Amino acid sequence: MIDTQLFDRWYKGDGQQQGPALEHFALPKEEDIKEFLLKDLVKTPEPYIPDDKLIRAVNVALYLRRPLLLEGEPGCGKTRLAFAIAYELGYPLKECSIRSTSRAQDLLYTYDALHRLYDMQGSEEERKKALERMQYVSFGKLGEAIRLAEHKIPSVVLIDEIDKADIDFPNDLLHPLERLQFEIPEVDNRKFDALKDGRDQQKNVLPLIIITSNREKELPKPFLRRCLYYYIKFPDKAMLKEIVSRHSQPDGESSELAEVAITKFEALRHPETTIRWRKTPGTGELLDWMRVLERDEQVGEIDPQLLSETPLKDLPYLETLVKTQSDSDALTKIKPKNMEER
C-alpha cells in the first residue's frame, strides 16, 4: 500500500515536488498495476506559472475530487497545467487526447474481439489461450486511473480538448466520471470500482480529473453540473515575460531580446493590427519563436534593436507564429499606425 503522506498534498504552483514521487514508496505486487503507475510518472519539471485563483481552483478540485473543466483560447496553458500538477504532486498523469472519433468507452477499455476470433481458429494451444478473455482487454487511461484508485494509488487524469468529440461524448462520460466504475461485459461483466470501499474511505486516492475545452462546441448542462469550472485568460505582458524567462533563462531574468520579442508578439495579437486571426498565436508559438531568435542572437545575426525596427510583416521566422495562408496574407496588408505597431 502507498504511504499515506502522499494523500496530504496540495498544488502550490511553485514547480517543486511536494515530496517523493510514487515510485519511491512501496509498489503494488500486481505487475499491471505497477506498470500503470510507473509508465506515466511526470519526471520533468513543468515551468508553469498559475495565478492564485487558478491554484485555489485546483485545490478545491483536489479536496472535492470533482472534475475541473478548464476553458480558454488555444495556447493559454490549459493542457500544460495537468503536467505541472502531476509533477508537483508526484502522481502519474493519465493523458486522454480526444479526437472526433473518440468514444467514452475507449477511455475505460477496448476489447479485441477480432484477435480472439483469430486465435479461436488457430492451433489447439491458441484455442486454449483464447478461453482467457481478459488478455484481449486493453485499458484506457481513465480505466487505468480507476484501477490505480482501487489499489489506493492517486493519479491525475487529463481529458484534453473534449470539445473535439462527438456531441454525445460528454453525456456518455457522465456515469464513468460520477461513479468511477465500469464493467466489461465481454469478460463476464468483470467490474472495476474506485469507490468500492465508499467515497469517504477512497476520497484521497481518487483521480484528479482535468478536462480542457477550446469552446468549439457547447458542453451539455448535465455535464457542466458535475464539474468545477475555471477560465484561463491569456497571459498579459508581465506574465509572458516570466513564462519566457523560465523556459529560456537559467537565472529567471528576462533578456532585452525577449522584451522586444514579446512587444512584437503582443502587437501581432492586438486587435489594432486589424487581423481577424484564424489561428491566433499562443504561448507555444511564442516559445518556439524565442528559441530561434536566441539562437540567432548567439551567432550575431539579430539583436534587440534590429528586431525592434522590423515591421510586423517582415519579422523573422513568421512560420513559427503564423499558421494559415489567410493569416499570412492578412499580415502583409498591415499598415502600422505608429512605431509601436511596426
Side-chain angles (χ1 to χ4, degrees):
M1 183 180 294
I2 299 297
D3 195 300
T4 55
Q5 67 175 287
L6 265 173
F7 306 152
D8 190 27
R9 292 187 177 181
W10 303 97
Y11 179 57
K12 297 180 180 179
D14 58 5
Q16 303 297 316
Q17 283 197 317
Q18 305 304 313
L22 284 168
E23 61 183 330
H24 298 293
F25 293 83
L27 296 175
K29 294 180 181 179
E30 297 86 346
E31 287 300 319
D32 58 342
I33 301 300
K34 188 186 300 184
E35 180 186 359
F36 293 163
L37 191 166
L38 295 176
K39 69 179 181 178
D40 290 321
L41 285 172
V42 180
K43 298 186 178 182
T44 304
E46 180 69 30
Y48 195 90
I49 306 171
D51 60 29
D52 291 341
K53 291 181 179 179
L54 179 54
I55 293 172
R56 183 178 63 190
V58 171
N59 285 322
V60 171
L62 269 171
Y63 178 73
L64 297 176
R65 279 316 201 263
R66 284 281 189 183
L68 176 59
L69 172 62
L70 301 174
E71 290 190 337
E73 67 174 270
C76 68
K78 301 183 295 295
T79 300
R80 302 314 303 178
L81 175 63
F83 287 80
I85 296 169
Y87 177 79
E88 281 199 25
L89 300 182
Y91 296 170
L93 174 65
K94 301 297 180 178
E95 184 179 5
C96 310
S97 297
I98 305 304
R99 303 182 299 274
S100 60
T101 57
S102 293
R103 301 181 306 156
Q105 179 183 300
D106 295 340
L107 273 60
L108 300 168
Y109 78 95
T110 55
Y111 181 76
D112 194 347
L114 188 61
H115 190 180
R116 181 172 184 270
L117 178 62
Y118 178 81
D119 287 345
M120 289 289 288
Q121 296 172 345
S123 65
E124 182 178 353
E125 182 178 346
E126 289 174 326
R127 290 197 299 272
K128 288 180 179 179
K129 174 185 172 184
L131 295 176
E132 178 51 58
R133 296 188 178 192
M134 197 63 197
Q135 66 183 315
Y136 300 101
V137 173
S138 298
F139 290 95
K141 294 300 185 179
L142 180 57
E144 290 180 0
I146 290 172
R147 293 203 62 197
L148 285 173
E150 284 186 318
H151 290 76
K152 312 296 184 185
I153 301 172
S155 61
V156 177
V157 176
L158 170 63
I159 301 177
D160 199 23
E161 298 188 327
I162 192 172
D163 51 322
K164 281 186 176 180
D166 182 86
I167 193 169
D168 292 327
F169 181 86
N171 286 326
D172 293 340
L173 265 186
L174 286 178
H175 288 307
L177 292 181
E178 182 76 21
R179 300 175 181 177
L180 291 175
Q181 62 179 227
F182 64 100
E183 293 183 357
I184 304 179
E186 297 90 344
V187 189
D188 300 322
N189 290 317
R190 179 79 177 272
K191 186 175 182 179
F192 301 94
D193 187 358
L195 299 175
K196 62 182 179 180
D197 295 329
R199 181 171 286 274
D200 289 340
Q201 290 288 337
Q202 290 288 99
K203 178 180 176 181
N204 291 325
V205 299
L206 298 179
L208 171 65
I209 299 173
I210 305 294
I211 303 171
T212 73
S213 169
N214 292 325
R215 308 180 81 177
E216 292 182 7
K217 295 189 186 84
E218 287 293 325
L219 297 174
K221 290 180 181 179
F223 182 84
L224 294 175
R225 281 198 296 269
R226 288 163 171 80
C227 298
L228 305 180
Y229 177 83
Y230 191 87
Y231 185 87
I232 299 181
K233 296 179 181 179
F234 195 83
D236 59 18
K237 190 170 185 178
M239 184 70 76
L240 286 173
K241 288 179 182 179
E242 192 170 352
I243 290 171
V244 169
S245 64
R246 284 205 187 181
H247 278 82
S248 60
Q249 300 296 325
D251 58 5
E253 293 294 326
S254 178
S255 68
E256 185 180 355
L257 181 68
E259 298 262 353
V260 175
I262 290 169
T263 298
K264 291 292 186 179
F265 177 76
E266 285 212 312
L268 272 179
R269 288 179 49 88
H270 200 278
E272 290 185 2
T273 61
T274 68
I275 291 182
R276 299 184 64 180
W277 291 100
R278 289 189 62 191
K279 167 62 180 76
T280 308
T283 53
E285 284 84 6
L286 172 62
L287 292 172
D288 284 344
W289 191 44
M290 279 305 310
R291 288 177 60 191
V292 185
L293 293 178
E294 287 169 346
R295 180 202 63 183
D296 281 9
E297 185 182 36
Q298 290 174 1
V299 297
E301 292 185 3
I302 199 167
D303 58 53
Q305 182 176 351
L306 178 59
L307 183 63
S308 177
E309 295 171 353
T310 304
L312 293 179
K313 64 184 180 64
D314 296 326
L315 287 174
Y317 309 113
L318 277 173
E319 60 271 19
T320 63
L321 299 170
V322 182
K323 301 298 179 69
T324 72
Q325 182 63 49
S326 61
D327 288 343
S328 180
D329 291 343
L331 189 59
T332 62
K333 300 174 183 177
I334 288 179
K335 295 181 179 180
K337 298 177 182 178
N338 52 53
M339 291 301 292
E340 283 296 315
E341 292 177 0
R342 290 189 61 189

